[in-house]
Amino acid sequence: MGGERWRDTGAAAIIDEAAFTETMLASYRRAIASVTAASGDIRAAALRLAAIWRGGGRVVYAGAGSSGLAAAEDAAELPGTFGLDEARIAIILPGGTAEPFRIDGAAEDNAAAGEQAVAKFGDLAGDAVIAVSASGSTPFTVAAAAEARRRGAFVIAIAHRPGSPLLAGADAPILLESGEEALRGSTRLAAGAAQKAALGMLSSLMGFGLGHIHQGLMVNLKADNTKLRERARGIVATIAGVSHAEAEGALREAGGEVKPAVLIACGVSSVSEAVTRLTAAEGRIDDALRRAAVSGVSHGRRPEPGSVA
């Protein structure tokens, strides 16, 4: 009940719900502050991730326990948010499952299993591995990261303890000093919040580097349901400066692809021309729009039937 007080037998003081709430909020603030402090390292790692993806490489996430679930969640969002090929994205977890009620806690102590899970990928030269562990010493995750690096992967490590084995063995260590948990030992709280923020920044900055974000909009999203189709229509309308009806027509012409639809809505004459312009701009819609404007395409105004764009 609200206002009830409880006693932690290991603590000297009685703490009520309000005080515990404030303690948790303070820990969350420290968590976000730790991500702020690491933002330079996150940005540098994201630039490398974008280069690896652009070069045809894979992105593999590895973790155990709540850290593994955070990694799996971020990985699962990439195809829908940025239109990335799910065949080039993988998740390594103890037992091979991301189902929250089937996590084998003991499996995270199995270093050999971490090595074996990575070995299945073969040569990892040109690929990236993102390894996450709150302590930075989880045997499964540390072994997986070390094996990935031996196989040529660029290893990004996220952990909360300076000097931990995971960070020491990484190409791009990201230290999140989120501090002590309000609920002692429950790394799903402050550490989990910091991990989620850092992973979200890492993958979103990668998306930005790939040209899949424009004006804060997801211009390469996979519109595979009603909500996302509506969002795609709004994105095209916003960037091209056209009505939702015109945006809908451009999307239909572009087969649901947002970037070509934007160019079509801006006056590019065909899907093939839009694709050609995007290829020349390395997929960056901002550059493609500038090139289109220079060549005489009117931004926000589609050509009349029979006219030359």
Side-chain angles (χ1 to χ4, degrees), residues 265-278:
C266 286
V268 169
S269 61
S270 66
V271 175
S272 60
E273 184 188 348
V275 171
T276 298
R277 289 180 180 276
L278 284 166

Side-chain angles (χ1 to χ4, degrees), residues 96 142 251 258:
V142 172
L251 277 165
V258 172

Side-chain angles (χ1 to χ4, degrees), residues 54-116:
R54 196 179 293 111
R58 296 172 291 185
V59 175
V60 180
Y61 290 72
S66 58
S67 297
L69 290 176
E73 179 186 3
D74 196 71
E77 293 284 351
L78 296 182
T81 304
F82 298 122
L84 302 187
D85 181 3
E86 61 187 57
R88 292 168 58 193
I89 302 166
I91 306 165
I92 295 174
L93 300 171
T97 178
E99 296 180 34
F101 299 113
R102 294 182 59 190
I103 294 175
D104 182 357
E108 68 181 52
D109 294 330
N110 191 338
E115 292 178 356
Q116 291 164 7

Side-chain angles (χ1 to χ4, degrees), residues 119-210:
K120 294 177 181 177
F121 289 87
D123 182 15
L124 288 168
D127 299 324
V129 170
I130 304 169
V132 190
S133 165
S135 67
S137 58
T138 305
F140 177 92
T141 309
V142 172
E147 181 66 18
R149 200 174 187 205
R150 279 194 293 271
R151 290 174 176 272
F154 179 77
V155 175
I156 299 167
I158 298 175
H160 302 258
R161 290 184 182 172
S164 60
L166 186 64
L167 294 177
D171 297 293
I174 297 172
L175 172 62
L176 304 175
E177 294 191 271
S178 52
E180 187 177 7
E181 295 281 358
L183 183 59
R184 307 282 176 84
S186 182
T187 54
R188 70 183 178 84
L189 298 175
Q195 288 170 2
K196 180 170 176 56
L199 286 164
M201 286 182 64
L202 187 63
S203 56
S204 296
L205 286 167
M206 176 182 71
F208 188 92
L210 292 170

